[in-house]
Amino acid sequence: MSSKYGILLAVSSLPSNHGIGDFGDNAYRFISFLKDYNYSYWQVLPLNPLGPGNSPYMSTCSEAIEPLYISLDYLVKD
């Protein structure tokens, strides 16, 4: 039986050229790292829009993504 394990890392903790981590190149590098070391899961913290006090746990919407997590570099390319 193979072990399945993962890692918890907030998207905002990834390095970025724009002040907060996003789903850009560094997210893909992190996923490659996980694959190389046989991790099965990447647990991300809440991705919903930030609420009062920039809290992801007090969001007014549970179905949307925080726009800050969208890669500006990828957005410009597209």
Side-chain angles (χ1 to χ4, degrees), residues 5-20:
Y5 50 93
I7 192 165
L8 168 66
L9 178 76
V11 176
S12 60
S13 295
L14 292 168
S16 171
N17 296 327
H18 307 289
I20 185 172

Side-chain angles (χ1 to χ4, degrees), residues 18-74:
H18 307 289
I20 185 172
D22 56 34
F23 286 110
D25 287 336
N26 287 310
Y28 284 93
R29 283 188 197 101
F30 182 66
I31 291 168
S32 292
F33 164 83
L34 294 176
K35 182 181 176 195
D36 291 345
Y37 287 90
N38 297 317
Y39 282 84
S40 300
Y41 304 100
W42 173 15
Q43 180 178 347
V44 297
L45 294 174
L47 297 175
N48 48 305
L50 301 176
N54 292 327
S55 172
Y57 302 102
M58 295 186 66
S59 180
T60 57
C61 180
S62 64
E63 298 174 5
I65 187 171
E66 172 57 52
L68 292 174
Y69 297 145
I70 298 170
S71 170
L72 295 177
D73 296 328
Y74 282 16

